[in-house]
Coordinates of all heavy atoms in Angstrom, one line a residue:
M240 N 0.8 -1.1 0.0 CA 0.0 -0.1 0.0 C 0.9 1.2 0.0 O 1.9 1.4 0.8 CB -0.9 0.0 1.4 CG -1.8 1.1 1.3 SD -2.9 1.1 2.7 CE -4.1 0.0 2.2
E241 N 0.6 2.1 -0.8 CA 1.5 3.4 -1.0 C 0.6 4.6 -0.6 O -0.6 4.7 -1.0 CB 1.9 3.6 -2.5 CG 3.1 4.3 -2.6 CD 3.6 4.3 -4.0 OE1 4.0 3.2 -4.5 OE2 3.8 5.4 -4.6
Y242 N 1.2 5.4 0.2 CA 0.4 6.6 0.6 C 1.4 7.7 0.9 O 2.6 7.4 1.1 CB -0.5 6.3 1.9 CG 0.4 5.8 3.0 CD1 0.9 6.7 4.1 CD2 0.5 4.4 3.2 CE1 1.5 6.2 5.1 CE2 1.0 3.9 4.3 CZ 1.7 4.8 5.1 OH 2.4 4.3 6.3
K243 N 0.9 8.9 1.0 CA 1.7 10.1 1.4 C 1.1 10.8 2.5 O -0.1 11.3 2.5 CB 1.6 11.1 0.2 CG 2.5 12.3 0.3 CD 2.3 13.1 -1.0 CE 3.2 14.5 -0.9 NZ 3.1 15.3 -2.0
I244 N 1.9 11.0 3.5 CA 1.4 11.6 4.7 C 1.5 13.1 4.5 O 2.6 13.7 4.2 CB 2.2 11.3 6.0 CG1 2.1 9.7 6.3 CG2 1.8 12.0 7.2 CD1 3.0 9.3 7.4
L245 N 0.4 13.8 4.7 CA 0.4 15.3 4.5 C 0.6 16.1 5.7 O 1.4 17.1 5.7 CB -1.0 15.7 4.0 CG -1.4 15.1 2.6 CD1 -2.8 15.6 2.2 CD2 -0.3 15.5 1.6
E246 N 0.2 15.6 6.9 CA 0.5 16.2 8.2 C 0.1 15.4 9.3 O -0.7 14.5 9.4 CB -0.4 17.5 8.4 CG -0.2 18.3 9.4 CD -1.1 19.5 9.7 OE1 -1.7 19.9 8.6 OE2 -1.1 20.1 10.7
Q247 N 0.9 15.5 10.3 CA 0.7 14.7 11.6 C 0.9 15.6 12.8 O 1.9 16.6 12.6 CB 1.6 13.5 11.8 CG 1.3 12.3 10.8 CD 2.1 11.2 11.0 OE1 3.4 11.3 11.1 NE2 1.5 10.1 11.1
E248 N 0.3 15.6 13.9 CA 0.5 16.5 15.0 C 0.1 15.7 16.2 O -1.0 15.0 16.3 CB -0.4 17.7 14.8 CG -0.2 18.6 16.0 CD -1.0 19.9 15.8 OE1 -2.1 19.8 15.3 OE2 -0.5 21.0 16.2
A249 N 0.8 15.8 17.2 CA 0.5 15.5 18.6 C 0.5 16.7 19.5 O 1.5 17.5 19.5 CB 1.5 14.4 19.2
Y250 N -0.5 17.0 20.1 CA -0.7 18.1 20.9 C -1.1 17.9 22.3 O -2.2 17.1 22.5 CB -1.8 19.1 20.2 CG -1.8 20.4 20.7 CD1 -0.9 21.4 20.3 CD2 -2.8 20.9 21.6 CE1 -0.9 22.8 20.8 CE2 -2.8 22.2 22.1 CZ -2.0 23.1 21.7 OH -2.1 24.4 22.2
V251 N -0.5 18.5 23.2 CA -0.9 18.4 24.6 C -1.5 19.6 25.0 O -0.9 20.7 25.0 CB 0.5 18.1 25.5 CG1 0.1 18.0 27.0 CG2 1.1 16.9 25.1
V252 N -2.7 19.6 25.6 CA -3.5 20.8 26.0 C -3.0 21.3 27.3 O -2.9 22.4 27.5 CB -5.0 20.5 26.1 CG1 -5.7 21.6 26.5 CG2 -5.5 20.0 24.7
T253 N -2.7 20.4 28.2 CA -2.3 20.9 29.6 C -1.2 20.1 30.1 O -0.9 19.0 29.8 CB -3.5 20.7 30.7 OG1 -3.7 19.5 30.9 CG2 -4.7 21.5 30.3
F254 N -0.4 20.8 31.0 CA 0.7 20.2 31.8 C 0.4 20.5 33.2 O 0.0 21.5 33.6 CB 2.0 20.8 31.3 CG 2.6 20.6 30.0 CD1 2.3 21.5 29.0 CD2 3.3 19.4 29.8 CE1 2.9 21.3 27.8 CE2 3.8 19.2 28.5 CZ 3.6 20.2 27.5
T255 N 0.7 19.5 34.0 CA 0.8 19.7 35.5 C 2.2 20.0 35.9 O 3.1 19.2 35.5 CB 0.3 18.4 36.2 OG1 -1.1 18.1 35.8 CG2 0.3 18.7 37.7
L256 N 2.4 21.1 36.4 CA 3.8 21.5 36.8 C 4.0 21.3 38.3 O 3.1 21.8 39.1 CB 4.0 23.0 36.4 CG 3.7 23.4 35.0 CD1 4.0 24.8 34.8 CD2 4.6 22.5 34.1
N257 N 5.0 20.8 38.7 CA 5.4 20.6 40.1 C 6.8 21.2 40.4 O 7.6 20.9 39.7 CB 5.3 19.2 40.5 CG 3.9 18.6 40.4 OD1 2.9 19.0 41.0 ND2 3.8 17.6 39.5
A258 N 6.9 21.7 41.6 CA 8.3 22.2 42.1 C 8.4 22.2 43.5 O 7.4 22.5 44.2 CB 8.5 23.6 41.5
D259 N 9.5 21.8 44.0 CA 9.8 22.0 45.5 C 10.7 23.0 45.6 O 11.6 23.1 44.9 CB 10.3 20.6 45.9 CG 9.5 19.3 45.8 OD1 8.2 19.6 45.8 OD2 9.9 18.3 45.7
F260 N 10.6 23.7 46.8 CA 11.5 24.9 47.1 C 11.5 25.0 48.6 O 10.7 24.5 49.3 CB 11.0 26.2 46.3 CG 9.7 26.7 46.7 CD1 9.6 27.7 47.7 CD2 8.5 26.3 46.3 CE1 8.4 28.3 48.1 CE2 7.4 26.8 46.6 CZ 7.2 27.8 47.6
E261 N 12.5 25.8 48.9 CA 12.8 26.1 50.4 C 12.7 27.6 50.5 O 13.2 28.3 49.8 CB 14.2 25.6 50.8 CG 14.4 25.6 52.4 CD 15.7 25.0 52.7 OE1 15.9 23.9 52.3 OE2 16.5 25.7 53.4
Y262 N 12.0 28.0 51.6 CA 11.9 29.4 52.0 C 11.9 29.5 53.5 O 11.2 28.9 54.2 CB 10.6 30.0 51.4 CG 10.3 31.4 51.8 CD1 11.1 32.4 51.2 CD2 9.3 31.8 52.6 CE1 10.9 33.7 51.5 CE2 9.0 33.1 52.9 CZ 9.9 34.1 52.3 OH 9.7 35.4 52.7
Q263 N 12.8 30.4 53.9 CA 13.1 30.6 55.4 C 13.3 29.4 56.2 O 12.6 29.1 57.3 CB 11.9 31.4 56.0 CG 11.9 32.9 55.4 CD 10.7 33.7 56.0 OE1 9.9 33.2 56.6 NE2 10.9 35.1 55.8
G264 N 14.0 28.4 55.6 CA 14.3 27.1 56.2 C 13.3 26.1 56.3 O 13.5 25.0 56.8
K265 N 12.1 26.2 55.6 CA 11.1 25.2 55.5 C 11.0 24.8 54.0 O 11.2 25.7 53.1 CB 9.8 25.9 56.0 CG 9.8 26.1 57.5 CD 8.5 26.3 58.0 CE 8.4 26.6 59.5 NZ 7.1 26.9 60.0
K266 N 10.5 23.6 53.8 CA 10.3 23.1 52.5 C 8.9 23.2 52.2 O 8.0 22.9 53.0 CB 10.9 21.7 52.4 CG 12.4 21.6 52.5 CD 12.9 20.2 52.4 CE 14.5 20.2 52.7 NZ 14.9 18.8 52.5
Y267 N 8.6 23.7 50.8 CA 7.3 23.6 50.3 C 7.3 22.9 48.9 O 8.3 22.7 48.3 CB 7.0 25.1 50.2 CG 6.9 25.9 51.4 CD1 8.1 26.7 51.8 CD2 5.8 25.8 52.2 CE1 8.0 27.2 53.0 CE2 5.8 26.5 53.5 CZ 6.9 27.2 53.9 OH 7.0 27.9 55.0
S268 N 6.1 22.6 48.5 CA 5.8 22.0 47.2 C 4.8 22.9 46.6 O 3.7 23.2 47.1 CB 5.2 20.5 47.5 OG 4.9 20.0 46.2
A269 N 5.1 23.3 45.2 CA 4.1 23.9 44.4 C 3.5 23.2 43.3 O 4.3 22.4 42.8 CB 4.7 25.3 44.0
T270 N 2.3 23.4 43.0 CA 1.8 22.7 41.8 C 0.8 23.6 41.1 O 0.2 24.6 41.6 CB 1.0 21.4 42.2 OG1 0.5 20.7 41.1 CG2 -0.3 21.8 43.0
G271 N 0.8 23.5 39.7 CA -0.2 24.3 39.0 C -0.4 23.6 37.6 O 0.3 22.7 37.2
I272 N -1.5 24.1 37.0 CA -1.9 23.5 35.7 C -1.4 24.6 34.6 O -1.9 25.8 34.7 CB -3.4 23.3 35.6 CG1 -3.8 22.4 36.7 CG2 -3.7 22.7 34.3 CD1 -3.2 21.0 36.7
Y273 N -0.7 24.2 33.7 CA -0.3 25.1 32.4 C -1.2 24.7 31.3 O -1.1 23.6 30.9 CB 1.2 25.0 32.2 CG 1.7 25.6 31.0 CD1 1.7 27.0 31.0 CD2 2.2 24.9 29.9 CE1 2.1 27.7 29.8 CE2 2.5 25.6 28.8 CZ 2.5 27.0 28.6 OH 2.9 27.6 27.6
Y274 N -1.8 25.7 30.8 CA -2.5 25.4 29.5 C -1.5 25.9 28.4 O -1.2 27.0 28.3 CB -3.7 26.3 29.5 CG -5.0 25.7 30.3 CD1 -5.1 26.0 31.6 CD2 -5.7 24.8 29.8 CE1 -5.9 25.5 32.4 CE2 -6.8 24.2 30.5 CZ -6.9 24.6 31.8 OH -7.8 24.1 32.6
N275 N -1.4 24.9 27.5 CA -0.3 25.0 26.6 C -0.4 26.4 25.7 O -1.5 26.6 25.1 CB -0.2 23.9 25.6 CG 1.0 23.8 24.8 OD1 2.0 24.5 24.9 ND2 1.1 22.6 24.0
G276 N 0.6 27.3 25.8 CA 0.5 28.5 25.0 C -0.3 29.6 25.7 O -0.5 30.6 25.2
D277 N -0.8 29.4 26.9 CA -1.6 30.4 27.6 C -1.1 30.8 28.9 O -0.2 31.5 29.0 CB -3.0 29.9 27.7 CG -4.0 30.9 28.1 OD1 -3.7 32.2 28.1 OD2 -5.1 30.6 28.4
S278 N -1.6 30.1 30.0 CA -1.2 30.5 31.4 C -1.1 29.4 32.4 O -1.7 28.3 32.1 CB -2.1 31.7 31.8 OG -3.4 31.2 31.9
I279 N -0.7 29.6 33.5 CA -0.8 28.7 34.5 C -1.9 29.1 35.5 O -2.0 30.2 36.0 CB 0.6 28.7 35.4 CG1 1.7 28.4 34.4 CG2 0.4 27.7 36.5 CD1 3.1 28.6 35.1
V280 N -2.7 28.1 35.9 CA -3.8 28.3 36.9 C -3.8 27.3 37.9 O -3.1 26.4 38.0 CB -5.1 28.1 36.0 CG1 -5.3 29.3 35.0 CG2 -5.4 26.9 35.4
D281 N -4.7 27.6 38.9 CA -4.9 26.6 40.0 C -3.5 26.4 40.7 O -3.2 25.2 41.1 CB -5.5 25.2 39.6 CG -6.8 25.4 39.0 OD1 -7.5 26.5 39.4 OD2 -7.3 24.7 38.1
I282 N -2.7 27.4 41.0 CA -1.6 27.2 41.7 C -1.8 27.0 43.2 O -2.5 27.7 43.8 CB -0.6 28.4 41.6 CG1 -0.1 28.7 40.1 CG2 0.7 28.3 42.5 CD1 0.6 29.9 39.8
E283 N -1.1 26.0 43.7 CA -1.3 25.5 45.1 C 0.0 25.4 45.8 O 1.0 24.9 45.2 CB -2.2 24.3 45.4 CG -3.6 24.4 44.9 CD -4.4 23.2 45.2 OE1 -3.9 22.1 44.6 OE2 -5.5 23.2 45.7
V284 N 0.2 25.8 47.0 CA 1.4 25.6 47.7 C 1.1 24.8 49.0 O 0.2 25.0 49.7 CB 2.1 27.0 48.1 CG1 3.4 26.8 49.0 CG2 2.2 27.8 46.9
F285 N 2.0 23.7 49.3 CA 1.8 22.8 50.5 C 3.2 22.9 51.2 O 4.2 22.9 50.7 CB 1.5 21.4 49.9 CG 0.2 21.4 49.2 CD1 0.3 21.4 47.8 CD2 -1.0 21.2 49.9 CE1 -1.1 21.3 47.1 CE2 -2.1 21.0 49.2 CZ -2.2 21.2 47.8
N286 N 2.9 22.7 52.5 CA 4.0 22.4 53.5 C 4.4 21.0 53.3 O 3.6 20.2 53.5 CB 3.5 22.8 54.8 CG 4.6 22.7 56.0 OD1 5.5 22.0 55.7 ND2 4.3 23.3 57.0
E287 N 5.7 20.9 52.9 CA 6.2 19.4 52.7 C 6.2 18.6 54.0 O 6.2 17.4 53.9 CB 7.5 19.4 52.0 CG 7.3 19.6 50.5 CD 8.5 19.0 49.7 OE1 9.4 18.6 50.3 OE2 8.4 19.0 48.6
E288 N 6.4 19.2 55.2 CA 6.5 18.5 56.4 C 5.3 17.8 56.6 O 5.3 16.6 57.1 CB 7.0 19.4 57.5 CG 8.3 19.9 57.3 CD 8.6 21.0 58.4 OE1 7.9 21.1 59.3 OE2 9.8 21.7 58.3
D289 N 4.1 18.3 56.5 CA 2.9 17.6 56.8 C 2.0 17.6 55.7 O 0.7 17.2 55.9 CB 2.2 18.2 58.1 CG 2.0 19.6 58.0 OD1 2.1 20.2 56.9 OD2 1.6 20.3 59.0
E290 N 2.2 18.1 54.6 CA 1.4 18.2 53.3 C 0.2 19.0 53.4 O -0.8 18.7 52.9 CB 1.1 16.8 52.8 CG 2.4 16.0 52.5 CD 2.1 14.7 51.8 OE1 0.9 14.2 51.7 OE2 3.0 13.9 51.5
S291 N 0.1 19.9 54.4 CA -1.0 20.8 54.6 C -0.9 22.0 53.8 O 0.2 22.5 53.4 CB -1.1 21.2 56.1 OG 0.0 22.0 56.4
C292 N -2.2 22.6 53.4 CA -2.1 23.9 52.7 C -1.6 25.0 53.7 O -1.8 24.8 55.0 CB -3.5 24.1 52.3 SG -4.0 23.4 50.8
I293 N -1.2 26.0 53.2 CA -0.5 27.2 54.0 C -1.8 27.9 54.6 O -2.7 28.3 53.8 CB 0.4 28.1 53.3 CG1 1.4 27.2 52.5 CG2 1.0 29.2 54.1 CD1 2.2 26.3 53.5
D294 N -1.8 28.1 55.9 CA -3.0 29.0 56.5 C -2.7 30.3 56.9 O -3.6 31.0 57.4 CB -3.7 28.1 57.6 CG -2.6 27.7 58.8 OD1 -1.6 28.2 58.7 OD2 -3.1 27.0 59.6
N295 N -1.6 30.7 56.9 CA -1.1 32.1 57.3 C -1.2 33.0 56.1 O -0.5 32.9 55.1 CB 0.3 32.1 57.9 CG 0.8 33.5 58.2 OD1 0.6 34.5 57.5 ND2 1.4 33.6 59.4
E296 N -2.2 34.0 56.0 CA -2.5 34.8 54.8 C -1.2 35.5 54.3 O -1.0 35.5 53.0 CB -3.6 35.6 55.1 CG -5.0 35.0 55.2 CD -6.1 36.1 55.2 OE1 -6.0 37.1 54.7 OE2 -7.1 35.7 56.0
I297 N -0.4 36.2 55.1 CA 0.7 36.9 54.7 C 1.8 36.0 54.1 O 2.3 36.2 53.0 CB 1.3 37.7 55.8 CG1 0.2 38.8 56.3 CG2 2.6 38.4 55.4 CD1 0.6 39.6 57.5
L298 N 2.0 34.9 54.8 CA 3.0 33.8 54.3 C 2.4 33.2 53.0 O 3.2 33.0 52.2 CB 3.3 32.8 55.5 CG 4.2 31.9 55.1 CD1 5.7 32.3 54.7 CD2 4.4 30.7 56.2
E299 N 1.2 32.9 53.1 CA 0.6 32.3 51.9 C 0.8 33.1 50.6 O 1.1 32.7 49.6 CB -1.0 32.1 52.1 CG -1.6 31.3 51.0 CD -3.0 31.2 51.2 OE1 -3.6 31.7 52.2 OE2 -3.6 30.3 50.6
E300 N 0.5 34.5 50.7 CA 0.7 35.4 49.6 C 2.1 35.4 49.0 O 2.5 35.3 47.9 CB 0.2 36.8 50.1 CG 0.3 37.8 48.9 CD -0.3 39.1 49.3 OE1 -1.2 39.3 50.0 OE2 0.3 40.1 48.8
K301 N 3.1 35.4 50.0 CA 4.5 35.3 49.6 C 4.9 34.1 49.0 O 5.5 34.1 47.9 CB 5.4 35.7 50.8 CG 6.9 35.7 50.6 CD 7.2 37.0 49.5 CE 8.6 37.0 49.3 NZ 8.9 38.0 48.3
L302 N 4.4 32.9 49.6 CA 4.8 31.6 49.1 C 4.1 31.5 47.7 O 4.7 30.8 46.6 CB 4.2 30.5 50.0 CG 5.0 30.5 51.2 CD1 4.4 29.5 52.2 CD2 6.5 30.0 51.0
F303 N 2.9 32.0 47.5 CA 2.1 32.0 46.2 C 2.9 32.7 45.2 O 3.1 32.2 44.0 CB 0.8 32.5 46.4 CG 0.0 32.5 45.0 CD1 -0.6 31.5 44.6 CD2 0.1 33.6 44.2 CE1 -1.3 31.4 43.4 CE2 -0.7 33.6 43.0 CZ -1.4 32.6 42.5
E304 N 3.5 33.8 45.5 CA 4.3 34.7 44.5 C 5.5 33.9 44.1 O 5.9 33.9 43.0 CB 4.8 36.0 45.2 CG 3.6 37.0 45.3 CD 4.0 38.2 46.1 OE1 5.4 38.5 46.2 OE2 3.2 38.9 46.6
I305 N 6.1 33.3 45.1 CA 7.4 32.5 44.8 C 7.1 31.4 43.9 O 7.7 31.0 42.9 CB 8.1 31.9 46.1 CG1 8.6 33.1 46.9 CG2 9.2 31.0 45.8 CD1 9.0 32.8 48.4
A306 N 6.0 30.6 44.4 CA 5.6 29.4 43.6 C 5.3 29.8 42.2 O 5.7 29.1 41.1 CB 4.4 28.7 44.3
K307 N 4.5 30.8 42.0 CA 4.1 31.3 40.5 C 5.4 31.7 39.8 O 5.4 31.3 38.6 CB 3.2 32.6 40.8 CG 2.7 33.1 39.5 CD 1.6 34.1 39.7 CE 1.0 34.7 38.5 NZ 1.3 35.7 37.8
E308 N 6.3 32.4 40.4 CA 7.6 32.8 39.7 C 8.3 31.5 39.2 O 8.7 31.3 38.2 CB 8.5 33.6 40.6 CG 9.7 33.9 39.8 CD 10.5 35.0 40.8 OE1 9.9 35.8 41.4 OE2 11.8 34.9 40.6
I309 N 8.4 30.5 40.2 CA 9.1 29.2 39.9 C 8.4 28.4 38.7 O 9.1 28.1 37.7 CB 9.3 28.4 41.1 CG1 10.2 28.9 42.2 CG2 9.8 26.9 40.7 CD1 10.2 28.3 43.4
L310 N 7.2 28.3 38.8 CA 6.4 27.5 37.7 C 6.4 28.3 36.4 O 6.6 27.6 35.4 CB 5.0 27.3 38.3 CG 4.9 26.4 39.5 CD1 3.3 26.3 39.9 CD2 5.4 25.1 39.3
E311 N 6.3 29.6 36.5 CA 6.3 30.4 35.2 C 7.6 30.3 34.5 O 7.7 30.4 33.3 CB 6.0 31.7 35.4 CG 4.5 32.0 35.8 CD 4.1 33.4 36.0 OE1 5.0 34.3 36.3 OE2 2.9 33.7 35.9
N312 N 8.7 30.1 35.3 CA 10.0 30.0 34.7 C 10.6 28.7 34.5 O 11.8 28.5 34.1 CB 11.1 30.9 35.6 CG 10.8 32.4 35.6 OD1 10.5 33.0 34.6 ND2 10.8 33.0 36.8
M313 N 9.8 27.7 34.8 CA 10.1 26.3 34.6 C 10.5 26.1 33.0 O 9.7 26.5 32.2 CB 9.2 25.4 35.1 CG 9.5 23.9 34.9 SD 8.2 22.8 35.5 CE 8.2 23.0 37.2
D314 N 11.5 25.4 32.8 CA 11.8 24.9 31.4 C 11.2 23.6 31.2 O 11.7 22.5 31.7 CB 13.4 24.8 31.3 CG 13.8 24.3 29.8 OD1 12.8 23.8 29.1 OD2 14.9 24.6 29.5
I315 N 9.9 23.6 30.7 CA 9.1 22.4 30.5 C 9.9 21.3 29.8 O 9.9 20.1 30.1 CB 7.8 22.7 29.9 CG1 7.0 23.6 30.9 CG2 7.0 21.5 29.5 CD1 5.7 24.2 30.3
D316 N 10.5 21.6 28.7 CA 11.2 20.6 27.9 C 12.4 19.9 28.8 O 12.6 18.7 28.8 CB 12.0 21.3 26.7 CG 11.1 21.7 25.7 OD1 9.8 21.2 25.6 OD2 11.3 22.7 25.0
K317 N 13.0 20.7 29.5 CA 14.1 20.1 30.5 C 13.5 19.3 31.6 O 14.1 18.2 32.0 CB 14.8 21.2 31.1 CG 16.0 20.7 31.9 CD 16.8 21.9 32.6 CE 17.9 21.5 33.3 NZ 18.6 22.5 34.0
H318 N 12.3 19.5 32.1 CA 11.8 18.9 33.3 C 10.7 17.9 32.9 O 9.9 17.4 33.9 CB 11.4 19.9 34.4 CG 12.6 20.7 34.8 ND1 13.5 20.1 35.5 CD2 12.8 22.1 34.7 CE1 14.5 21.2 35.9 NE2 14.1 22.2 35.3
F319 N 10.3 17.7 31.7 CA 9.1 16.9 31.3 C 9.4 15.5 31.6 O 10.5 14.9 31.3 CB 9.0 17.1 29.8 CG 7.7 16.4 29.3 CD1 6.5 17.0 29.5 CD2 7.8 15.2 28.7 CE1 5.4 16.4 29.0 CE2 6.6 14.5 28.2 CZ 5.4 15.2 28.3
S320 N 8.5 14.9 32.3 CA 8.5 13.4 32.6 C 7.2 12.8 32.2 O 6.1 13.4 32.2 CB 8.9 13.1 34.0 OG 7.8 13.7 34.9
Y321 N 7.2 11.5 31.9 CA 6.1 10.7 31.5 C 6.1 9.3 31.9 O 7.2 8.9 32.4 CB 5.7 10.9 30.1 CG 6.9 10.8 29.1 CD1 7.0 9.7 28.3 CD2 7.9 11.7 29.0 CE1 8.1 9.6 27.4 CE2 8.9 11.6 28.1 CZ 9.0 10.5 27.3 OH 10.0 10.4 26.4

C-alpha cells in the first residue's frame, strides 16, 4: 500500500507543573496547571513536612508569589517526565 502523509500532529493541551522549594528554612511544594500556549492556573502551595495547605495569609501570599515565579520560569522541555 502506497500513501503520502500530509500532516501529523501530537498536541498536549495541559501540563501539570510541580516544584519543590525552600523558603526561610522550610520546604514547600508547588503545583499548577499550565494551558499550553496560555497561562498557569490553580497554583497551590503545600507545606512538605505535613502536606497541609498554608493557612497564614501573609505567608501564603509570599509563598504563592514564589511558587508562581518558579512555575512560570520552569523549562518544561528540560523537566518533562512521563
Side-chain angles (χ1 to χ4, degrees):
M240 180 181 284
E241 206 172 300
Y242 56 89
K243 181 179 178 181
I244 297 172
L245 299 176
E246 182 179 346
Q247 290 182 310
E248 180 180 37
Y250 189 82
V251 178
V252 176
T253 64
F254 292 96
T255 300
L256 305 179
N257 296 299
D259 296 333
F260 64 97
E261 187 174 309
Y262 178 69
Q263 294 183 342
K265 292 187 178 182
K266 294 181 181 179
Y267 299 95
S268 178
T270 186
I272 304 298
Y273 171 68
Y274 284 90
N275 198 358
D277 192 11
S278 62
I279 300 172
V280 297
D281 299 331
I282 296 173
E283 295 180 309
V284 180
F285 296 92
N286 180 337
E287 277 208 352
E288 293 174 8
D289 59 9
E290 297 183 1
S291 63
C292 279
I293 309 307
D294 57 5
N295 178 314
E296 287 185 32
I297 295 170
L298 180 59
E299 180 180 16
E300 187 176 321
K301 183 63 178 172
L302 292 171
F303 179 82
E304 289 174 21
I305 293 168
K307 186 173 188 256
E308 182 176 325
I309 291 169
L310 296 177
E311 287 178 343
N312 292 320
M313 181 184 289
D314 182 342
I315 293 173
D316 291 333
K317 183 178 177 183
H318 299 289
F319 187 78
S320 63
Y321 43 111

